[in-house]
Amino acid sequence: MPSKYTFSDYNSRWPEEFALEAERIRAILGDALIDVHHIGSTSVPGLAAKPVIDLIPVVKSIQQIDDLTPAMSAAGYKAWGDYGIPGRRLFTKDDRELRTHNLHCFAQDDLEIERHLAFCAYLRAHQKVCDEYAALKREVYARHPGIIVESGSTA
C-alpha cells in the first residue's frame, strides 16, 4: 500500500521535528555519522509543504550505512537502496499510512549533498521564487492529492 500524505502551510514545529529525528539518527548511526542536515520544503521557513521531514545524514562511507541497515529497519525505517541516485541510501518512515520522514544518506564527499542544500538555500534567499514554488506545489497537490509515488522525492 502506498504511503499517504497531506499538504499544509508552513508549520513552525518542523524544525523541532527535524531536531528530534536527527537525535534518533545520531543514536543509531553513532560514529559513522558526521552531520545531519534538514532539507526539503519543511526546512524553508514559510514554505507550504507536505509535512514530511527530509534529512541528509552525512556519513563517513556508504558501506557503514549498508552495515547499519538492519538497525535502521529495527528503528522503523524502510530501506530503499539508492533508489535511482547512485551513492545514496534512502530510508523512509511512516506513522501508520502517513509518511513522516525521508532520510537521504550520503557519504561525506558526495556532490548530491551540496545540490540538496543549495536548493533550500536558494528558496530561502529568493522569496518570489519560493512563493511561485509553493503555488506550483499547491496546484500539483490539488490535482493529485494524498498519495506518495515511492520516489523518495524531497519536493
Side-chain angles (χ1 to χ4, degrees):
M1 170 192 290
S3 298
K4 296 182 180 182
Y5 71 98
T6 59
F7 190 83
S8 66
D9 289 331
Y10 180 78
N11 186 326
S12 61
R13 292 188 315 252
W14 290 340
E16 180 181 329
E17 290 175 25
F18 157 75
L20 291 171
E21 201 66 24
E23 283 305 311
R24 290 183 191 105
I25 297 305
R26 284 183 183 94
I28 297 167
L29 299 182
D31 292 340
L33 187 68
I34 295 171
D35 203 356
V36 182
H37 299 284
H38 188 187
I39 61 165
S41 296
T42 62
S43 74
V44 180
L47 182 57
K50 58 184 188 259
V52 178
I53 307 299
D54 285 280
L55 302 93
I56 292 185
V58 179
V59 295
K60 295 173 185 171
S61 78
I62 283 299
Q63 183 58 50
Q64 290 174 304
I65 291 295
D66 293 340
D67 295 343
L68 290 164
T69 294
M72 296 291 289
S73 295
Y77 297 96
K78 182 175 181 179
W80 295 88
D82 72 9
Y83 213 83
I85 299 179
R88 171 179 72 170
R89 295 299 180 268
L90 175 67
F91 295 87
T92 58
K93 186 174 171 184
D94 293 349
D95 180 6
R96 293 178 286 279
E97 76 278 359
L98 289 175
R99 175 68 36 88
T100 60
H101 299 85
N102 293 319
L103 278 63
H104 309 266
C105 302
F106 290 101
Q108 61 188 331
D109 58 350
D110 198 303
L111 296 177
E112 287 290 324
I113 298 166
E114 183 61 30
R115 183 179 70 81
H116 284 285
L117 295 176
F119 179 73
C120 298
Y122 187 85
L123 290 175
R124 285 185 206 105
H126 297 88
Q127 189 61 51
K128 183 178 184 227
V129 174
C130 188
D131 292 344
E132 291 168 355
Y133 184 53
L136 176 62
K137 288 167 63 100
R138 287 182 191 284
E139 178 183 332
V140 170
Y141 181 77
R143 289 184 187 179
H144 308 283
I147 300 295
I148 292 178
V149 175
E150 297 297 357
S151 67
S153 171
T154 62

